[in-house]
Each structure stands twice: as C-alpha cells, then as structure tokens.
Amino acid sequence: STEPLLDPPVSIPDPYGWMRDDKRENKEVLKHLELENEYTKSVTAHLKPLQEELYGEFLGSIVETDYTVPRPREEFWYYTRTF
C-alpha cells in the first residue's frame, strides 16, 4: 500500500489490491464481483423473507414529513406540513 498507515510507515500487503479499479473497466475484476454477488445471493436466499420483513419494519418506523415552500402573506410567512 502506498498510504501511510502507521508512523513510521510500514508496508502492509494487500491480497485484494489487484481488485482496485477506480474506473470500473477491468473485465476480470467486474466478472469476479458478479460471481461474488451471485454466490452471496444463492447462500443467503433462505433469508429473503426475513429481509423483506425487516425492510417493512424499517419503513414503518420512518416518519415522513412533507413541507411546502414558505410563502409570504402580509407580514408573515406561511407553509404547510404533513405528519
């Protein structure tokens, strides 16, 4: 790694350094990531119902508030909001 991680800097081997591709153009890396994603989906497929249940719970706990743009009326500014 070229990053100074320690003082004094110590070279640390990075076994995944070959995967660094900031432009997302390396076909070998992209193929590897696609295969990793497919593997993860297959191994965690049995958790899909739990994932959907948790996602529903998260959405249920989010309070969405909508505001309108404040508009002047005489000397005061007014807006509306929903809860």
Side-chain angles (χ1 to χ4, degrees):
S1 173
T2 58
E3 297 294 322
L5 301 174
L6 303 171
D7 190 18
V10 175
S11 177
I12 298 175
D14 182 5
Y16 297 101
W18 67 273
M19 294 181 71
R20 178 148 192 139
D21 181 24
D22 293 334
K23 295 184 180 180
R24 311 297 191 259
E25 296 174 348
N26 186 329
K27 297 208 183 297
E28 182 183 6
V29 171
L30 295 175
K31 183 65 177 171
H32 177 79
L33 293 174
E34 287 174 13
L35 292 172
E36 285 284 332
N37 288 339
E38 288 175 21
Y39 171 76
T40 300
K41 283 182 184 177
S42 68
V43 171
T44 60
H46 69 285
L47 298 173
K48 188 68 174 171
L50 176 60
Q51 179 187 12
E52 292 172 357
E53 178 184 346
L54 290 173
Y55 182 69
E57 287 181 21
F58 292 144
L59 287 182
S61 67
I62 295 174
V63 177
E64 293 188 36
T65 304
D66 292 326
Y67 294 91
T68 61
V69 177
R71 300 200 182 271
R73 189 179 336 151
E74 298 175 10
E75 62 181 293
F76 297 102
W77 287 74
Y78 294 90
Y79 69 95
T80 60
R81 75 178 170 186
T82 58
F83 293 96

